[in-house]
Amino acid sequence: MESQLKSNRYLRIYHQLKDLLVKSDDFDAKMATVVAVLHHKMETFFWTGFYCLKDGELIVKTYQGPVACQVLEKNTGVCWAGINQGKTIIVSDVHQFPGHIACDSRSKSEIVVPLKDTANMIIGILDVDSTSLNAFDQTDAQYLEMIVGLINI
């Protein structure tokens, strides 16, 4: 998708989610709403979901797309890289990423965005996969970070 068109779409999604998320204080409901809107409004999103930390494990929460890995092997793969590095990670070709966890072999590229609590501690990760190589760029990173930030408003 052309960069300006993508930015405009994300901006519309951001404002839609901002209006929706203030109606509930429920963390799980907010994650579910973010996932549903993103998954259905961004055509390159093959798998969209959250993994959250619980007792030192990264466990799948709400998602849309094919069946997910329930628990991700500790300190392995793109999601753990985002957790451990504390930043958004863009992977153009997941098959070139050391330790990539293949929950679905159709995934070709991925972006992960840390989810933080109100104390700014990382508690999980938004994970988005695409069946296309090079599906994600800095535009995705910028807007997905803004969108994930809405969960704690």
Side-chain angles (χ1 to χ4, degrees), residues 24-27 30 114-124 148-153:
S24 172
D25 289 333
D26 188 88
F27 193 72
K30 288 181 176 190
L115 171 65
K116 298 178 180 179
D117 64 13
T118 54
N120 209 33
M121 299 294 297
I122 294 175
I123 57 172
V148 168
L150 290 172
I151 292 174
N152 283 313
I153 61 170

Side-chain angles (χ1 to χ4, degrees), residues 19-61:
D19 290 342
L20 289 169
L21 297 181
V22 296
K23 296 175 182 171
S24 172
D25 289 333
D26 188 88
F27 193 72
D28 291 326
K30 288 181 176 190
M31 287 192 301
T33 300
V34 166
V35 166
V37 170
L38 287 172
H39 193 75
H40 291 282
K41 299 246 178 176
M42 299 300 289
E43 64 268 0
T44 60
F45 287 25
F46 171 66
W47 192 93
T48 313
F50 284 97
Y51 281 91
C52 290
L53 290 167
K54 182 178 180 184
D55 300 326
E57 291 187 307
L58 205 46
I59 300 170
V60 73
K61 288 292 192 178

